[in-house]
mmCIF file with all atom_site columns, all heavy atoms in Angstrom:
data_model
loop_
_atom_site.group_PDB
_atom_site.id
_atom_site.type_symbol
_atom_site.label_atom_id
_atom_site.label_alt_id
_atom_site.label_comp_id
_atom_site.label_asym_id
_atom_site.label_entity_id
_atom_site.label_seq_id
_atom_site.pdbx_PDB_ins_code
_atom_site.Cartn_x
_atom_site.Cartn_y
_atom_site.Cartn_z
_atom_site.occupancy
_atom_site.B_iso_or_equiv
_atom_site.pdbx_formal_charge
_atom_site.auth_seq_id
_atom_site.auth_comp_id
_atom_site.auth_asym_id
_atom_site.auth_atom_id
_atom_site.pdbx_PDB_model_num
ATOM 1   N N   . THR A 1 24 ? 11.579 -132.766 8.090  1.00 90.00 ? 24 THR A N   1
ATOM 2   C CA  . THR A 1 24 ? 10.274 -132.877 7.423  1.00 90.00 ? 24 THR A CA  1
ATOM 3   C C   . THR A 1 24 ? 9.530  -134.119 7.851  1.00 90.00 ? 24 THR A C   1
ATOM 4   O O   . THR A 1 24 ? 8.351  -134.110 8.144  1.00 90.00 ? 24 THR A O   1
ATOM 5   C CB  . THR A 1 24 ? 10.475 -132.838 5.909  1.00 90.00 ? 24 THR A CB  1
ATOM 6   O OG1 . THR A 1 24 ? 11.212 -131.683 5.509  1.00 90.00 ? 24 THR A OG1 1
ATOM 7   C CG2 . THR A 1 24 ? 9.118  -132.816 5.173  1.00 90.00 ? 24 THR A CG2 1
ATOM 8   N N   . LEU A 1 25 ? 10.271 -135.240 7.943  1.00 91.00 ? 25 LEU A N   1
ATOM 9   C CA  . LEU A 1 25 ? 9.666  -136.471 8.411  1.00 91.00 ? 25 LEU A CA  1
ATOM 10  C C   . LEU A 1 25 ? 9.195  -136.285 9.881  1.00 91.00 ? 25 LEU A C   1
ATOM 11  O O   . LEU A 1 25 ? 8.087  -136.738 10.214 1.00 91.00 ? 25 LEU A O   1
ATOM 12  C CB  . LEU A 1 25 ? 10.689 -137.613 8.307  1.00 91.00 ? 25 LEU A CB  1
ATOM 13  C CG  . LEU A 1 25 ? 10.253 -138.943 8.963  1.00 91.00 ? 25 LEU A CG  1
ATOM 14  C CD1 . LEU A 1 25 ? 9.055  -139.528 8.240  1.00 91.00 ? 25 LEU A CD1 1
ATOM 15  C CD2 . LEU A 1 25 ? 11.427 -139.924 8.959  1.00 91.00 ? 25 LEU A CD2 1
ATOM 16  N N   . ALA A 1 26 ? 10.023 -135.661 10.688 1.00 90.00 ? 26 ALA A N   1
ATOM 17  C CA  . ALA A 1 26 ? 9.666  -135.463 12.097 1.00 90.00 ? 26 ALA A CA  1
ATOM 18  C C   . ALA A 1 26 ? 8.378  -134.634 12.205 1.00 90.00 ? 26 ALA A C   1
ATOM 19  O O   . ALA A 1 26 ? 7.545  -134.856 13.066 1.00 90.00 ? 26 ALA A O   1
ATOM 20  C CB  . ALA A 1 26 ? 10.813 -134.799 12.835 1.00 90.00 ? 26 ALA A CB  1
ATOM 21  N N   . ASP A 1 27 ? 8.228  -133.629 11.327 1.00 88.00 ? 27 ASP A N   1
ATOM 22  C CA  . ASP A 1 27 ? 7.002  -132.794 11.325 1.00 88.00 ? 27 ASP A CA  1
ATOM 23  C C   . ASP A 1 27 ? 5.759  -133.638 11.171 1.00 88.00 ? 27 ASP A C   1
ATOM 24  O O   . ASP A 1 27 ? 4.760  -133.456 11.851 1.00 88.00 ? 27 ASP A O   1
ATOM 25  C CB  . ASP A 1 27 ? 7.070  -131.748 10.189 1.00 88.00 ? 27 ASP A CB  1
ATOM 26  C CG  . ASP A 1 27 ? 7.742  -130.486 10.622 1.00 88.00 ? 27 ASP A CG  1
ATOM 27  O OD1 . ASP A 1 27 ? 8.321  -130.444 11.762 1.00 88.00 ? 27 ASP A OD1 1
ATOM 28  O OD2 . ASP A 1 27 ? 7.710  -129.486 9.903  1.00 88.00 ? 27 ASP A OD2 1
ATOM 29  N N   . HIS A 1 28 ? 5.773  -134.592 10.242 1.00 89.00 ? 28 HIS A N   1
ATOM 30  C CA  . HIS A 1 28 ? 4.604  -135.426 9.973  1.00 89.00 ? 28 HIS A CA  1
ATOM 31  C C   . HIS A 1 28 ? 4.322  -136.353 11.154 1.00 89.00 ? 28 HIS A C   1
ATOM 32  O O   . HIS A 1 28 ? 3.148  -136.616 11.498 1.00 89.00 ? 28 HIS A O   1
ATOM 33  C CB  . HIS A 1 28 ? 4.767  -136.184 8.707  1.00 89.00 ? 28 HIS A CB  1
ATOM 34  C CG  . HIS A 1 28 ? 4.600  -135.348 7.444  1.00 89.00 ? 28 HIS A CG  1
ATOM 35  N ND1 . HIS A 1 28 ? 3.367  -135.010 6.956  1.00 89.00 ? 28 HIS A ND1 1
ATOM 36  C CD2 . HIS A 1 28 ? 5.528  -134.775 6.624  1.00 89.00 ? 28 HIS A CD2 1
ATOM 37  C CE1 . HIS A 1 28 ? 3.551  -134.242 5.863  1.00 89.00 ? 28 HIS A CE1 1
ATOM 38  N NE2 . HIS A 1 28 ? 4.845  -134.106 5.648  1.00 89.00 ? 28 HIS A NE2 1
ATOM 39  N N   . LEU A 1 29 ? 5.356  -136.858 11.768 1.00 90.00 ? 29 LEU A N   1
ATOM 40  C CA  . LEU A 1 29 ? 5.178  -137.738 12.950 1.00 90.00 ? 29 LEU A CA  1
ATOM 41  C C   . LEU A 1 29 ? 4.632  -136.943 14.098 1.00 90.00 ? 29 LEU A C   1
ATOM 42  O O   . LEU A 1 29 ? 3.753  -137.452 14.834 1.00 90.00 ? 29 LEU A O   1
ATOM 43  C CB  . LEU A 1 29 ? 6.495  -138.394 13.334 1.00 90.00 ? 29 LEU A CB  1
ATOM 44  C CG  . LEU A 1 29 ? 7.206  -139.226 12.223 1.00 90.00 ? 29 LEU A CG  1
ATOM 45  C CD1 . LEU A 1 29 ? 8.441  -139.920 12.811 1.00 90.00 ? 29 LEU A CD1 1
ATOM 46  C CD2 . LEU A 1 29 ? 6.246  -140.260 11.664 1.00 90.00 ? 29 LEU A CD2 1
ATOM 47  N N   . ILE A 1 30 ? 5.076  -135.727 14.287 1.00 89.00 ? 30 ILE A N   1
ATOM 48  C CA  . ILE A 1 30 ? 4.565  -134.838 15.351 1.00 89.00 ? 30 ILE A CA  1
ATOM 49  C C   . ILE A 1 30 ? 3.100  -134.493 15.076 1.00 89.00 ? 30 ILE A C   1
ATOM 50  O O   . ILE A 1 30 ? 2.254  -134.483 15.986 1.00 89.00 ? 30 ILE A O   1
ATOM 51  C CB  . ILE A 1 30 ? 5.427  -133.571 15.496 1.00 89.00 ? 30 ILE A CB  1
ATOM 52  C CG1 . ILE A 1 30 ? 6.836  -133.941 15.920 1.00 89.00 ? 30 ILE A CG1 1
ATOM 53  C CG2 . ILE A 1 30 ? 4.811  -132.586 16.454 1.00 89.00 ? 30 ILE A CG2 1
ATOM 54  C CD1 . ILE A 1 30 ? 7.816  -132.813 15.771 1.00 89.00 ? 30 ILE A CD1 1
ATOM 55  N N   . ALA A 1 31 ? 2.768  -134.134 13.824 1.00 88.00 ? 31 ALA A N   1
ATOM 56  C CA  . ALA A 1 31 ? 1.400  -133.736 13.463 1.00 88.00 ? 31 ALA A CA  1
ATOM 57  C C   . ALA A 1 31 ? 0.419  -134.879 13.733 1.00 88.00 ? 31 ALA A C   1
ATOM 58  O O   . ALA A 1 31 ? -0.724 -134.669 14.046 1.00 88.00 ? 31 ALA A O   1
ATOM 59  C CB  . ALA A 1 31 ? 1.363  -133.302 12.023 1.00 88.00 ? 31 ALA A CB  1
ATOM 60  N N   . ALA A 1 32 ? 0.889  -136.117 13.489 1.00 85.00 ? 32 ALA A N   1
ATOM 61  C CA  . ALA A 1 32 ? -0.014 -137.254 13.623 1.00 85.00 ? 32 ALA A CA  1
ATOM 62  C C   . ALA A 1 32 ? -0.196 -137.698 15.073 1.00 85.00 ? 32 ALA A C   1
ATOM 63  O O   . ALA A 1 32 ? -1.232 -138.233 15.449 1.00 85.00 ? 32 ALA A O   1
ATOM 64  C CB  . ALA A 1 32 ? 0.514  -138.437 12.807 1.00 85.00 ? 32 ALA A CB  1
ATOM 65  N N   . SER A 1 33 ? 0.820  -137.474 15.925 1.00 79.00 ? 33 SER A N   1
ATOM 66  C CA  . SER A 1 33 ? 0.723  -138.016 17.295 1.00 79.00 ? 33 SER A CA  1
ATOM 67  C C   . SER A 1 33 ? 1.315  -137.083 18.368 1.00 79.00 ? 33 SER A C   1
ATOM 68  O O   . SER A 1 33 ? 1.775  -137.512 19.377 1.00 79.00 ? 33 SER A O   1
ATOM 69  C CB  . SER A 1 33 ? 1.482  -139.369 17.342 1.00 79.00 ? 33 SER A CB  1
ATOM 70  O OG  . SER A 1 33 ? 2.780  -139.205 16.854 1.00 79.00 ? 33 SER A OG  1
ATOM 71  N N   . GLY A 1 34 ? 1.326  -135.803 18.065 1.00 62.00 ? 34 GLY A N   1
ATOM 72  C CA  . GLY A 1 34 ? 1.927  -134.861 18.982 1.00 62.00 ? 34 GLY A CA  1
ATOM 73  C C   . GLY A 1 34 ? 0.926  -134.094 19.868 1.00 62.00 ? 34 GLY A C   1
ATOM 74  O O   . GLY A 1 34 ? 1.251  -133.010 20.359 1.00 62.00 ? 34 GLY A O   1
ATOM 75  N N   . ASP A 1 35 ? -0.270 -134.665 20.083 1.00 71.00 ? 35 ASP A N   1
ATOM 76  C CA  . ASP A 1 35 ? -1.280 -134.041 20.952 1.00 71.00 ? 35 ASP A CA  1
ATOM 77  C C   . ASP A 1 35 ? -1.598 -132.619 20.519 1.00 71.00 ? 35 ASP A C   1
ATOM 78  O O   . ASP A 1 35 ? -1.719 -131.680 21.356 1.00 71.00 ? 35 ASP A O   1
ATOM 79  C CB  . ASP A 1 35 ? -0.810 -134.045 22.390 1.00 71.00 ? 35 ASP A CB  1
ATOM 80  C CG  . ASP A 1 35 ? -0.575 -135.470 22.936 1.00 71.00 ? 35 ASP A CG  1
ATOM 81  O OD1 . ASP A 1 35 ? -1.286 -136.344 22.443 1.00 71.00 ? 35 ASP A OD1 1
ATOM 82  O OD2 . ASP A 1 35 ? 0.283  -135.619 23.810 1.00 71.00 ? 35 ASP A OD2 1
ATOM 83  N N   . GLY A 1 36 ? -1.754 -132.399 19.222 1.00 74.00 ? 36 GLY A N   1
ATOM 84  C CA  . GLY A 1 36 ? -2.161 -131.090 18.725 1.00 74.00 ? 36 GLY A CA  1
ATOM 85  C C   . GLY A 1 36 ? -1.067 -130.061 18.714 1.00 74.00 ? 36 GLY A C   1
ATOM 86  O O   . GLY A 1 36 ? -1.330 -128.854 18.584 1.00 74.00 ? 36 GLY A O   1
ATOM 87  N N   . VAL A 1 37 ? 0.192  -130.525 18.849 1.00 80.00 ? 37 VAL A N   1
ATOM 88  C CA  . VAL A 1 37 ? 1.321  -129.552 18.823 1.00 80.00 ? 37 VAL A CA  1
ATOM 89  C C   . VAL A 1 37 ? 1.439  -128.927 17.451 1.00 80.00 ? 37 VAL A C   1
ATOM 90  O O   . VAL A 1 37 ? 1.740  -127.719 17.361 1.00 80.00 ? 37 VAL A O   1
ATOM 91  C CB  . VAL A 1 37 ? 2.622  -130.283 19.235 1.00 80.00 ? 37 VAL A CB  1
ATOM 92  C CG1 . VAL A 1 37 ? 3.847  -129.369 19.059 1.00 80.00 ? 37 VAL A CG1 1
ATOM 93  C CG2 . VAL A 1 37 ? 2.537  -130.787 20.677 1.00 80.00 ? 37 VAL A CG2 1
ATOM 94  N N   . LEU A 1 38 ? 1.213  -129.707 16.405 1.00 82.00 ? 38 LEU A N   1
ATOM 95  C CA  . LEU A 1 38 ? 1.433  -129.193 15.030 1.00 82.00 ? 38 LEU A CA  1
ATOM 96  C C   . LEU A 1 38 ? 0.304  -129.665 14.143 1.00 82.00 ? 38 LEU A C   1
ATOM 97  O O   . LEU A 1 38 ? -0.091 -130.853 14.174 1.00 82.00 ? 38 LEU A O   1
ATOM 98  C CB  . LEU A 1 38 ? 2.771  -129.747 14.490 1.00 82.00 ? 38 LEU A CB  1
ATOM 99  C CG  . LEU A 1 38 ? 3.184  -129.344 13.083 1.00 82.00 ? 38 LEU A CG  1
ATOM 100 C CD1 . LEU A 1 38 ? 3.432  -127.864 12.995 1.00 82.00 ? 38 LEU A CD1 1
ATOM 101 C CD2 . LEU A 1 38 ? 4.459  -130.076 12.671 1.00 82.00 ? 38 LEU A CD2 1
#
Side-chain angles (χ1 to χ4, degrees):
T24 305
L25 172 65
D27 270 10
H28 286 280
L29 302 185
I30 295 168
S33 54
D35 298 331
V37 174
L38 180 65

